[in-house]
Amino acid sequence: AQSVTQLDSQVPVFEEAPVELRCNYSSSVSVYLFWYVQYPNQGLQLLLKYLSGSTLVKGINGFEAEFNKSQTSFHLRKPSVHISDTAEYFCAVSGTDSWGKLQFGAGTQVVVTP
Amino acid sequence: EAGVTQFPSHSVIEKGQTVTLRCDPISGHDNLYWYRRVMGKEIKFLLHFVKESKQDESGMPNNRFLAERTGGTYSTLKVQPAELEDSGVYFCASSQTGHTNTEAFFGQGTRLTVV
């Protein structure tokens, strides 16, 4: 079984400032890691995923995340946010043998202000 | 290409009534998943279909919930009778089979309110 902890429920940030959303996980098996975003009144959209290989993963809209196996973390970063990045962000994990069955964190609400 | 569509987008029902949620996956996607987010909590897995077969229903809360996917196309999730704690947002997702490099595409969700 896996579990995911998103350490911040809400992150206020000014436009053009950097943002980091923290995610830690625990698992007894090998995992795949994901970040999803939910914009207001929309469904969940995949930002990026880590399956294997390079621990630095680049996603859409300028986001990137780094997998750290020793710290069991998968933090999401963006060097300069826009107003349009206001959304809720979800970290998720799945076992490598059941990759479609996702265990989500509680979500982090990012509010970008001018 | 149409994405995953869910119907209705919102539903308000009284305790004890029956509600049926529908999910149309992306055409050709054999995998279909249901998830639920109860207010203030994380999104939780409910079950997974591969075509018309239930692959994993370990997340279904109780026997008041019945999911079907006749013909391996669209899926329905029926709640009968609904209880107050069933309120939340129900998400459906679909994906191709056998491709770990693909992704699960989510619908916009159905917001269910039981009063």
Side-chain angles (χ1 to χ4, degrees), chain A residues 4 32 34 36 38 41-47 49 51 88 90 96 98-108, chain B residues 31 33 35 37 40-45 56 58 89 91 95-96 98-109:
Chain A
V4 179
Y32 296 142
F34 307 82
Y36 280 85
Q38 185 179 25
N41 301 315
Q42 295 187 29
L44 295 166
Q45 180 180 2
L46 182 67
L47 272 179
K49 60 188 175 187
L51 303 182
E88 191 161 18
F90 297 92
T96 55
S98 58
W99 68 270
K101 181 179 179 181
L102 299 167
Q103 178 73 43
F104 284 89
T108 298
Chain B
N31 292 295
Y33 309 87
Y35 288 84
R37 189 182 193 192
K41 299 195 174 182
E42 65 268 26
I43 302 168
K44 288 280 198 183
F45 167 85
D56 182 345
S58 60
V89 181
F91 292 101
S95 70
Q96 294 176 310
H99 299 277
T100 56
N101 284 329
T102 189
E103 66 178 89
F105 293 86
F106 281 77
Q108 291 188 318

Short mmCIF file of all heavy atoms in Angstrom, two decimals, chain A residues 4 32 34 36 38 41-47 49 51 88 90 96 98-108, chain B residues 31 33 35 37 40-45 56 58 89 91 95-96 98-109:
data_model
loop_
_atom_site.label_atom_id
_atom_site.label_comp_id
_atom_site.label_asym_id
_atom_site.label_seq_id
_atom_site.Cartn_x
_atom_site.Cartn_y
_atom_site.Cartn_z
N VAL A 4 0.42 9.23 0.46
CA VAL A 4 1.00 10.46 -0.05
C VAL A 4 0.67 11.59 0.91
O VAL A 4 -0.48 11.74 1.33
CB VAL A 4 0.44 10.79 -1.45
CG1 VAL A 4 1.03 12.09 -1.97
CG2 VAL A 4 0.71 9.65 -2.42
N TYR A 32 5.39 4.58 -9.23
CA TYR A 32 5.39 5.65 -10.21
C TYR A 32 4.81 6.87 -9.50
O TYR A 32 3.95 6.74 -8.61
CB TYR A 32 4.53 5.31 -11.42
CG TYR A 32 5.01 4.13 -12.23
CD1 TYR A 32 4.10 3.23 -12.79
CD2 TYR A 32 6.37 3.92 -12.48
CE1 TYR A 32 4.52 2.15 -13.56
CE2 TYR A 32 6.79 2.84 -13.24
CZ TYR A 32 5.87 1.96 -13.77
OH TYR A 32 6.30 0.91 -14.53
N PHE A 34 3.22 11.00 -9.83
CA PHE A 34 2.50 11.89 -10.73
C PHE A 34 2.16 13.20 -10.02
O PHE A 34 2.00 13.24 -8.79
CB PHE A 34 1.17 11.25 -11.16
CG PHE A 34 1.29 9.87 -11.74
CD1 PHE A 34 1.38 8.75 -10.91
CD2 PHE A 34 1.28 9.68 -13.11
CE1 PHE A 34 1.49 7.47 -11.44
CE2 PHE A 34 1.38 8.40 -13.65
CZ PHE A 34 1.48 7.30 -12.81
N TYR A 36 -0.91 16.03 -10.75
CA TYR A 36 -2.08 16.45 -11.51
C TYR A 36 -2.47 17.85 -11.07
O TYR A 36 -2.21 18.27 -9.94
CB TYR A 36 -3.26 15.51 -11.25
CG TYR A 36 -3.22 14.22 -12.03
CD1 TYR A 36 -2.50 13.12 -11.56
CD2 TYR A 36 -3.90 14.09 -13.23
CE1 TYR A 36 -2.47 11.93 -12.27
CE2 TYR A 36 -3.87 12.91 -13.96
CZ TYR A 36 -3.16 11.83 -13.47
OH TYR A 36 -3.12 10.65 -14.18
N GLN A 38 -5.87 20.63 -11.14
CA GLN A 38 -7.30 20.86 -11.41
C GLN A 38 -7.55 22.35 -11.44
O GLN A 38 -7.51 23.01 -10.38
CB GLN A 38 -8.18 20.17 -10.38
CG GLN A 38 -9.67 20.30 -10.72
CD GLN A 38 -10.56 19.60 -9.73
OE1 GLN A 38 -10.21 19.41 -8.57
NE2 GLN A 38 -11.75 19.22 -10.17
N ASN A 41 -13.39 24.48 -12.16
CA ASN A 41 -14.47 23.94 -13.01
C ASN A 41 -13.98 23.02 -14.11
O ASN A 41 -14.64 22.87 -15.15
CB ASN A 41 -15.30 25.08 -13.62
CG ASN A 41 -15.91 25.96 -12.57
OD1 ASN A 41 -16.47 25.48 -11.58
ND2 ASN A 41 -15.78 27.27 -12.72
N GLN A 42 -12.82 22.42 -13.90
CA GLN A 42 -12.31 21.47 -14.89
C GLN A 42 -11.94 20.15 -14.22
O GLN A 42 -11.96 20.04 -13.00
CB GLN A 42 -11.09 22.07 -15.60
CG GLN A 42 -11.41 23.30 -16.45
CD GLN A 42 -10.23 23.74 -17.27
OE1 GLN A 42 -9.37 22.93 -17.65
NE2 GLN A 42 -10.16 25.03 -17.56
N GLY A 43 -11.63 19.17 -15.05
CA GLY A 43 -11.18 17.88 -14.52
C GLY A 43 -9.71 17.91 -14.19
O GLY A 43 -9.04 18.93 -14.31
N LEU A 44 -9.20 16.79 -13.76
CA LEU A 44 -7.78 16.66 -13.43
C LEU A 44 -6.97 16.51 -14.71
O LEU A 44 -7.35 15.77 -15.62
CB LEU A 44 -7.56 15.44 -12.56
CG LEU A 44 -8.21 15.48 -11.17
CD1 LEU A 44 -8.22 14.10 -10.55
CD2 LEU A 44 -7.46 16.46 -10.29
N GLN A 45 -5.86 17.21 -14.75
CA GLN A 45 -4.98 17.15 -15.92
C GLN A 45 -3.59 16.76 -15.47
O GLN A 45 -3.08 17.29 -14.48
CB GLN A 45 -4.96 18.51 -16.60
CG GLN A 45 -4.08 18.59 -17.84
CD GLN A 45 -4.09 19.97 -18.47
OE1 GLN A 45 -4.72 20.90 -17.97
NE2 GLN A 45 -3.38 20.11 -19.58
N LEU A 46 -2.97 15.84 -16.19
CA LEU A 46 -1.63 15.41 -15.83
C LEU A 46 -0.61 16.49 -16.14
O LEU A 46 -0.53 16.98 -17.26
CB LEU A 46 -1.27 14.13 -16.58
CG LEU A 46 0.10 13.53 -16.26
CD1 LEU A 46 0.14 13.02 -14.82
CD2 LEU A 46 0.43 12.40 -17.23
N LEU A 47 0.18 16.87 -15.13
CA LEU A 47 1.26 17.83 -15.32
C LEU A 47 2.55 17.13 -15.73
O LEU A 47 3.24 17.56 -16.63
CB LEU A 47 1.54 18.58 -14.02
CG LEU A 47 0.75 19.84 -13.70
CD1 LEU A 47 1.19 20.39 -12.36
CD2 LEU A 47 0.94 20.89 -14.79
N LYS A 49 4.98 13.14 -14.87
CA LYS A 49 5.04 11.84 -14.20
C LYS A 49 6.48 11.35 -14.19
O LYS A 49 7.28 11.68 -15.08
CB LYS A 49 4.15 10.82 -14.91
CG LYS A 49 4.53 10.57 -16.36
CD LYS A 49 3.48 9.70 -17.05
CE LYS A 49 3.81 9.56 -18.54
NZ LYS A 49 2.72 8.86 -19.29
N LEU A 51 8.39 7.75 -14.14
CA LEU A 51 8.29 6.29 -14.24
C LEU A 51 9.64 5.65 -13.96
O LEU A 51 9.73 4.66 -13.22
CB LEU A 51 7.80 5.90 -15.64
CG LEU A 51 6.46 6.50 -16.08
CD1 LEU A 51 6.07 6.00 -17.46
CD2 LEU A 51 5.36 6.20 -15.07
N GLU A 88 -5.70 23.82 -8.07
CA GLU A 88 -5.35 22.86 -7.03
C GLU A 88 -4.46 21.79 -7.65
O GLU A 88 -4.74 21.29 -8.75
CB GLU A 88 -6.60 22.23 -6.41
CG GLU A 88 -6.30 21.44 -5.16
CD GLU A 88 -7.50 21.18 -4.28
OE1 GLU A 88 -8.64 21.31 -4.77
OE2 GLU A 88 -7.31 20.84 -3.09
N PHE A 90 -2.35 18.14 -7.21
CA PHE A 90 -2.41 16.86 -6.51
C PHE A 90 -1.18 16.01 -6.86
O PHE A 90 -0.89 15.79 -8.03
CB PHE A 90 -3.65 16.07 -6.91
CG PHE A 90 -4.94 16.73 -6.54
CD1 PHE A 90 -5.59 17.57 -7.43
CD2 PHE A 90 -5.52 16.51 -5.29
CE1 PHE A 90 -6.78 18.19 -7.10
CE2 PHE A 90 -6.72 17.12 -4.95
CZ PHE A 90 -7.34 17.96 -5.86
N THR A 96 4.09 0.02 -9.33
CA THR A 96 4.49 -0.19 -10.72
C THR A 96 3.71 -1.33 -11.38
O THR A 96 3.67 -1.43 -12.60
CB THR A 96 6.00 -0.49 -10.81
OG1 THR A 96 6.30 -1.61 -9.97
CG2 THR A 96 6.82 0.70 -10.37
N SER A 98 0.46 -1.70 -10.79
CA SER A 98 -0.94 -1.25 -10.84
C SER A 98 -0.97 0.25 -11.06
O SER A 98 -1.57 1.00 -10.31
CB SER A 98 -1.67 -1.61 -9.55
OG SER A 98 -1.01 -1.02 -8.44
N TRP A 99 -0.32 0.65 -12.17
CA TRP A 99 -0.03 2.07 -12.32
C TRP A 99 -1.27 2.93 -12.50
O TRP A 99 -1.24 4.12 -12.26
CB TRP A 99 0.92 2.29 -13.51
CG TRP A 99 0.29 2.00 -14.83
CD1 TRP A 99 0.28 0.82 -15.49
CD2 TRP A 99 -0.41 2.93 -15.65
NE1 TRP A 99 -0.40 0.96 -16.67
CE2 TRP A 99 -0.83 2.23 -16.81
CE3 TRP A 99 -0.71 4.28 -15.53
CZ2 TRP A 99 -1.54 2.84 -17.82
CZ3 TRP A 99 -1.43 4.89 -16.55
CH2 TRP A 99 -1.84 4.17 -17.68
N GLY A 100 -2.39 2.35 -12.93
CA GLY A 100 -3.58 3.16 -13.10
C GLY A 100 -4.34 3.40 -11.81
O GLY A 100 -5.23 4.25 -11.75
N LYS A 101 -4.00 2.68 -10.76
CA LYS A 101 -4.68 2.84 -9.48
C LYS A 101 -3.87 3.83 -8.66
O LYS A 101 -2.83 3.50 -8.11
CB LYS A 101 -4.76 1.49 -8.76
CG LYS A 101 -5.48 1.56 -7.42
CD LYS A 101 -5.53 0.17 -6.78
CE LYS A 101 -6.21 0.20 -5.43
NZ LYS A 101 -6.23 -1.16 -4.81
N LEU A 102 -4.37 5.06 -8.61
CA LEU A 102 -3.62 6.15 -8.01
C LEU A 102 -4.01 6.39 -6.56
O LEU A 102 -5.19 6.35 -6.22
CB LEU A 102 -3.85 7.43 -8.81
CG LEU A 102 -3.42 7.39 -10.28
CD1 LEU A 102 -3.98 8.59 -11.04
CD2 LEU A 102 -1.90 7.38 -10.38
N GLN A 103 -3.00 6.65 -5.75
CA GLN A 103 -3.21 7.11 -4.38
C GLN A 103 -2.86 8.59 -4.38
O GLN A 103 -1.72 8.96 -4.65
CB GLN A 103 -2.31 6.34 -3.42
CG GLN A 103 -2.42 6.78 -1.99
CD GLN A 103 -3.72 6.36 -1.34
OE1 GLN A 103 -4.16 5.24 -1.50
NE2 GLN A 103 -4.33 7.25 -0.58
N PHE A 104 -3.84 9.43 -4.06
CA PHE A 104 -3.64 10.87 -4.13
C PHE A 104 -3.31 11.47 -2.78
O PHE A 104 -3.74 10.97 -1.73
CB PHE A 104 -4.91 11.56 -4.64
CG PHE A 104 -5.15 11.43 -6.11
CD1 PHE A 104 -5.87 10.36 -6.62
CD2 PHE A 104 -4.68 12.39 -7.00
CE1 PHE A 104 -6.10 10.24 -7.98
CE2 PHE A 104 -4.91 12.28 -8.36
CZ PHE A 104 -5.62 11.20 -8.86
N GLY A 105 -2.59 12.59 -2.82
CA GLY A 105 -2.47 13.42 -1.64
C GLY A 105 -3.71 14.29 -1.50
O GLY A 105 -4.60 14.27 -2.36
N ALA A 106 -3.74 15.07 -0.44
CA ALA A 106 -4.93 15.86 -0.13
C ALA A 106 -5.07 17.10 -1.00
O ALA A 106 -6.12 17.75 -0.98
CB ALA A 106 -4.92 16.26 1.34
N GLY A 107 -4.03 17.42 -1.75
CA GLY A 107 -4.10 18.57 -2.65
C GLY A 107 -3.51 19.82 -2.03
O GLY A 107 -3.53 20.00 -0.81
N THR A 108 -2.95 20.67 -2.89
CA THR A 108 -2.43 21.97 -2.49
C THR A 108 -3.08 23.03 -3.37
O THR A 108 -2.96 22.96 -4.60
CB THR A 108 -0.90 22.05 -2.63
OG1 THR A 108 -0.29 21.09 -1.78
CG2 THR A 108 -0.41 23.45 -2.27
N ASN B 31 -9.33 0.67 -20.11
CA ASN B 31 -9.32 0.89 -18.65
C ASN B 31 -10.23 2.04 -18.29
O ASN B 31 -10.19 3.12 -18.91
CB ASN B 31 -7.91 1.22 -18.17
CG ASN B 31 -6.97 0.05 -18.30
OD1 ASN B 31 -7.14 -0.96 -17.65
ND2 ASN B 31 -5.97 0.19 -19.15
N TYR B 33 -11.71 3.97 -14.64
CA TYR B 33 -11.57 4.08 -13.18
C TYR B 33 -12.62 5.03 -12.63
O TYR B 33 -12.95 6.03 -13.26
CB TYR B 33 -10.19 4.63 -12.82
CG TYR B 33 -9.02 3.92 -13.45
CD1 TYR B 33 -8.56 4.28 -14.71
CD2 TYR B 33 -8.36 2.89 -12.79
CE1 TYR B 33 -7.50 3.64 -15.31
CE2 TYR B 33 -7.28 2.24 -13.37
CZ TYR B 33 -6.86 2.62 -14.63
OH TYR B 33 -5.79 1.97 -15.21
N TYR B 35 -13.20 7.36 -9.14
CA TYR B 35 -12.61 7.92 -7.93
C TYR B 35 -13.65 8.83 -7.27
O TYR B 35 -14.60 9.27 -7.90
CB TYR B 35 -11.38 8.77 -8.26
CG TYR B 35 -10.16 8.01 -8.70
CD1 TYR B 35 -9.99 7.62 -10.02
CD2 TYR B 35 -9.15 7.69 -7.79
CE1 TYR B 35 -8.86 6.93 -10.43
CE2 TYR B 35 -8.01 7.00 -8.19
CZ TYR B 35 -7.88 6.62 -9.51
OH TYR B 35 -6.76 5.93 -9.91
N ARG B 37 -13.96 12.17 -4.32
CA ARG B 37 -13.39 13.09 -3.35
C ARG B 37 -14.49 13.60 -2.44
O ARG B 37 -15.35 14.37 -2.85
CB ARG B 37 -12.68 14.27 -4.02
CG ARG B 37 -11.90 15.12 -3.02
CD ARG B 37 -11.24 16.31 -3.64
NE ARG B 37 -10.27 16.90 -2.74
CZ ARG B 37 -9.70 18.09 -2.92
NH1 ARG B 37 -10.00 18.81 -3.98
NH2 ARG B 37 -8.80 18.54 -2.05
N GLY B 40 -12.97 18.05 1.67
CA GLY B 40 -11.91 18.21 2.65
C GLY B 40 -10.94 17.05 2.71
O GLY B 40 -9.99 17.09 3.50
N LYS B 41 -11.18 16.04 1.91
CA LYS B 41 -10.30 14.86 1.96
C LYS B 41 -9.69 14.58 0.59
O LYS B 41 -9.95 15.27 -0.37
CB LYS B 41 -11.08 13.65 2.46
CG LYS B 41 -11.65 13.85 3.85
CD LYS B 41 -12.10 12.55 4.45
CE LYS B 41 -12.51 12.76 5.90
NZ LYS B 41 -12.92 11.50 6.55
N GLU B 42 -8.83 13.59 0.56
CA GLU B 42 -8.14 13.30 -0.70
C GLU B 42 -9.03 12.52 -1.65
O GLU B 42 -10.05 11.95 -1.27
CB GLU B 42 -6.83 12.54 -0.44
CG GLU B 42 -7.00 11.16 0.13
CD GLU B 42 -6.96 11.16 1.64
OE1 GLU B 42 -7.29 12.19 2.25
OE2 GLU B 42 -6.61 10.10 2.19
N ILE B 43 -8.62 12.50 -2.90
CA ILE B 43 -9.31 11.73 -3.92
C ILE B 43 -9.01 10.26 -3.69
O ILE B 43 -7.84 9.86 -3.57
CB ILE B 43 -8.83 12.15 -5.33
CG1 ILE B 43 -9.08 13.65 -5.54
CG2 ILE B 43 -9.53 11.32 -6.40
CD1 ILE B 43 -8.39 14.22 -6.78
N LYS B 44 -10.07 9.47 -3.61
CA LYS B 44 -9.91 8.05 -3.29
C LYS B 44 -10.34 7.17 -4.45
O LYS B 44 -11.39 7.40 -5.07
CB LYS B 44 -10.76 7.69 -2.07
CG LYS B 44 -10.24 8.24 -0.76
CD LYS B 44 -9.12 7.38 -0.22
CE LYS B 44 -8.89 7.65 1.25
NZ LYS B 44 -7.76 6.87 1.77
N PHE B 45 -9.58 6.15 -4.72
CA PHE B 45 -9.90 5.15 -5.73
C PHE B 45 -11.12 4.35 -5.30
O PHE B 45 -11.24 3.95 -4.13
CB PHE B 45 -8.70 4.22 -5.89
CG PHE B 45 -8.96 2.97 -6.68
CD1 PHE B 45 -8.89 2.98 -8.07
CD2 PHE B 45 -9.26 1.78 -6.04
CE1 PHE B 45 -9.12 1.83 -8.80
CE2 PHE B 45 -9.48 0.61 -6.76
CZ PHE B 45 -9.41 0.65 -8.14
N ASP B 56 -10.59 -4.42 -10.19
CA ASP B 56 -10.27 -4.10 -8.79
C ASP B 56 -11.40 -3.23 -8.25
O ASP B 56 -11.60 -2.13 -8.76
CB ASP B 56 -8.93 -3.37 -8.72
CG ASP B 56 -8.49 -3.05 -7.30
OD1 ASP B 56 -9.30 -3.13 -6.35
OD2 ASP B 56 -7.32 -2.68 -7.11
N SER B 58 -11.69 -2.76 -4.82
CA SER B 58 -11.32 -2.70 -3.41
C SER B 58 -11.68 -1.38 -2.74
O SER B 58 -11.76 -1.31 -1.52
CB SER B 58 -9.82 -2.96 -3.26
OG SER B 58 -9.08 -1.97 -3.97
N VAL B 89 -17.37 14.70 -4.87
CA VAL B 89 -17.17 14.76 -6.31
C VAL B 89 -16.69 13.40 -6.79
O VAL B 89 -15.70 12.87 -6.27
CB VAL B 89 -16.16 15.86 -6.71
CG1 VAL B 89 -15.99 15.90 -8.23
CG2 VAL B 89 -16.62 17.21 -6.18
N PHE B 91 -15.15 11.27 -9.76
CA PHE B 91 -14.36 11.39 -10.98
C PHE B 91 -14.28 10.06 -11.70
O PHE B 91 -14.17 9.01 -11.08
CB PHE B 91 -12.93 11.85 -10.67
CG PHE B 91 -12.82 13.25 -10.15
CD1 PHE B 91 -12.65 13.49 -8.80
CD2 PHE B 91 -12.85 14.32 -11.03
CE1 PHE B 91 -12.52 14.79 -8.33
CE2 PHE B 91 -12.72 15.62 -10.57
CZ PHE B 91 -12.57 15.85 -9.21
N SER B 95 -7.91 5.06 -19.60
CA SER B 95 -6.57 4.95 -20.17
C SER B 95 -6.51 3.75 -21.09
O SER B 95 -7.35 2.85 -21.05
CB SER B 95 -5.52 4.81 -19.06
OG SER B 95 -5.62 3.55 -18.43
N GLN B 96 -5.47 3.76 -21.93
CA GLN B 96 -5.24 2.62 -22.80
C GLN B 96 -4.67 1.46 -22.00
O GLN B 96 -4.18 1.65 -20.87
CB GLN B 96 -4.26 3.01 -23.91
CG GLN B 96 -4.81 4.05 -24.86
CD GLN B 96 -3.78 4.48 -25.88
OE1 GLN B 96 -2.65 4.82 -25.53
NE2 GLN B 96 -4.16 4.45 -27.15
N GLY B 98 -1.88 -1.55 -21.47
CA GLY B 98 -0.57 -2.04 -21.85
C GLY B 98 0.44 -0.97 -22.19
O GLY B 98 1.47 -1.24 -22.76
N HIS B 99 0.15 0.27 -21.80
CA HIS B 99 1.09 1.35 -22.11
C HIS B 99 1.35 2.13 -20.83
O HIS B 99 0.58 3.01 -20.46
CB HIS B 99 0.52 2.30 -23.16
CG HIS B 99 0.23 1.64 -24.47
ND1 HIS B 99 1.19 1.41 -25.43
CD2 HIS B 99 -0.91 1.13 -24.98
CE1 HIS B 99 0.65 0.80 -26.46
NE2 HIS B 99 -0.62 0.62 -26.23
N THR B 100 2.43 1.84 -20.16
CA THR B 100 2.69 2.59 -18.94
C THR B 100 3.11 4.02 -19.25
O THR B 100 3.12 4.87 -18.39
CB THR B 100 3.80 1.92 -18.11
OG1 THR B 100 4.96 1.78 -18.94
CG2 THR B 100 3.36 0.57 -17.61
N ASN B 101 3.47 4.27 -20.52
CA ASN B 101 3.83 5.63 -20.88
C ASN B 101 2.63 6.50 -21.17
O ASN B 101 2.76 7.69 -21.44
CB ASN B 101 4.76 5.64 -22.09
CG ASN B 101 6.17 5.23 -21.72
OD1 ASN B 101 6.61 5.49 -20.62
ND2 ASN B 101 6.86 4.60 -22.63
N THR B 102 1.44 5.91 -21.13
CA THR B 102 0.26 6.73 -21.37
C THR B 102 -0.19 7.30 -20.03
O THR B 102 0.47 7.17 -19.02
CB THR B 102 -0.85 5.90 -22.02
OG1 THR B 102 -1.89 6.77 -22.42
CG2 THR B 102 -1.42 4.87 -21.06
N GLU B 103 -1.30 7.97 -20.06
CA GLU B 103 -1.78 8.58 -18.84
C GLU B 103 -3.26 8.28 -18.66
O GLU B 103 -3.95 7.88 -19.59
CB GLU B 103 -1.57 10.09 -18.87
CG GLU B 103 -2.39 10.80 -19.92
CD GLU B 103 -2.18 12.32 -19.90
OE1 GLU B 103 -1.26 12.79 -20.59
OE2 GLU B 103 -2.95 13.00 -19.20
N ALA B 104 -3.71 8.47 -17.46
CA ALA B 104 -5.13 8.35 -17.16
C ALA B 104 -5.76 9.73 -17.37
O ALA B 104 -5.33 10.71 -16.78
CB ALA B 104 -5.34 7.87 -15.73
N PHE B 105 -6.75 9.81 -18.24
CA PHE B 105 -7.44 11.05 -18.55
C PHE B 105 -8.70 11.13 -17.69
O PHE B 105 -9.50 10.20 -17.68
CB PHE B 105 -7.82 11.11 -20.03
CG PHE B 105 -6.63 11.20 -20.95
CD1 PHE B 105 -5.98 10.06 -21.36
CD2 PHE B 105 -6.16 12.43 -21.40
CE1 PHE B 105 -4.87 10.13 -22.21
CE2 PHE B 105 -5.07 12.52 -22.24
CZ PHE B 105 -4.42 11.36 -22.65
N PHE B 106 -8.86 12.24 -17.02
CA PHE B 106 -9.96 12.40 -16.09
C PHE B 106 -11.08 13.24 -16.69
O PHE B 106 -10.83 14.18 -17.47
CB PHE B 106 -9.49 13.08 -14.80
CG PHE B 106 -8.78 12.15 -13.85
CD1 PHE B 106 -7.47 11.76 -14.07
CD2 PHE B 106 -9.44 11.66 -12.74
CE1 PHE B 106 -6.83 10.91 -13.21
CE2 PHE B 106 -8.81 10.80 -11.86
CZ PHE B 106 -7.49 10.42 -12.09
N GLY B 107 -12.29 12.91 -16.29
CA GLY B 107 -13.43 13.76 -16.60
C GLY B 107 -13.52 14.91 -15.62
O GLY B 107 -12.73 15.01 -14.67
N GLN B 108 -14.52 15.76 -15.83
CA GLN B 108 -14.68 16.94 -14.99
C GLN B 108 -15.30 16.62 -13.64
O GLN B 108 -15.29 17.46 -12.74
CB GLN B 108 -15.55 17.98 -15.71
CG GLN B 108 -14.87 18.61 -16.92
CD GLN B 108 -15.66 19.75 -17.49
OE1 GLN B 108 -16.88 19.67 -17.61
NE2 GLN B 108 -14.98 20.82 -17.86
N GLY B 109 -15.85 15.42 -13.52
CA GLY B 109 -16.42 15.03 -12.25
C GLY B 109 -17.91 15.31 -12.16
O GLY B 109 -18.45 16.17 -12.87
#
